[in-house]
Amino acid sequence: MGTGNPATITVETIVHSPVESVWKFWTEPKHIMQWNNASDDWHTPYAENDLKAGGKFVSRMEAKDGSFGFDFGGVYDEVSMYETISYTMGDGRKVKISFIRQGNDTQIIESFDAEETNSREMQQAGWQSILDNFKKYAENAKEE
């Protein structure tokens, strides 16, 4: 199928919120369902997250008009609270997310193995769009 050596794509942002809040918004299902989409015509009606090495996660991503949807999930390889999360997606690709404290801000760097169906540019744009949506949510959400 592939070359066995996929390209790595990186997206990043700086969230104007402390890492403890960013972590909560990134990892708790009730928050994931609020930000986990690349555009306003998509949503995440369901999310579950067992945040530990060996734990599984899944998010249901769907077009709001019901025309298309898919489950996005995987298994955590490493979880270091407020610092890094790495996981393996259902198709075997790897993802690593770093949370870097910068005073009251948090830099998020997310690197992932590219898949071979869509162009790298399209994948980078999609993941960046979701990350930008997270930034907007995390900077405006209230912790419960």
Side-chain angles (χ1 to χ4, degrees):
M1 201 159 96
T3 62
N5 189 13
T8 300
I9 298 173
T10 300
V11 295
E12 59 184 277
T13 193
I14 293 178
V15 179
H16 301 296
S17 191
V19 72
E20 293 81 5
S21 298
V22 167
W23 185 267
K24 177 184 249 186
F25 295 144
W26 188 274
T27 61
E28 291 185 4
K30 68 183 177 186
H31 293 295
I32 294 168
M33 293 187 314
Q34 301 303 312
W35 61 262
N36 191 32
N37 54 283
S39 63
D40 289 340
D41 52 346
W42 280 73
H43 67 145
T44 300
Y46 174 81
E48 108 183 16
N49 194 18
D50 185 13
L51 187 65
K52 65 183 182 203
K56 295 181 181 176
F57 69 92
V58 65
S59 298
R60 178 72 187 167
M61 301 174 87
E62 294 181 352
K64 287 182 179 175
D65 67 6
S67 63
F68 187 74
F70 63 93
D71 289 339
F72 179 86
V75 177
Y76 290 109
D77 299 315
E78 178 190 350
V79 175
S80 180
M81 194 164 180
Y82 306 138
E83 293 178 5
T84 59
I85 296 172
S86 61
Y87 61 86
T88 302
M89 289 186 263
D91 64 5
R93 293 182 296 134
K94 302 278 188 181
V95 178
K96 181 177 181 183
I97 308 129
S98 298
F99 300 84
I100 302 163
R101 184 187 309 268
Q102 297 183 336
N104 275 337
D105 294 344
T106 305
Q107 181 180 20
I108 301 173
I109 302 172
E110 188 172 17
S111 298
F112 62 96
D113 292 343
E115 44 96 348
E116 297 181 357
T117 306
N118 298 296
S119 72
R120 288 186 199 176
E121 294 77 19
M122 182 181 208
Q123 292 174 69
Q124 182 163 13
W127 284 59
Q128 185 69 55
S129 184
I130 293 169
L131 187 57
D132 292 346
N133 207 37
F134 172 79
K135 172 185 168 71
K136 185 169 44 174
Y137 177 77
E139 289 178 349
N140 294 298
K142 303 287 183 249
E143 287 190 58
E144 296 171 21

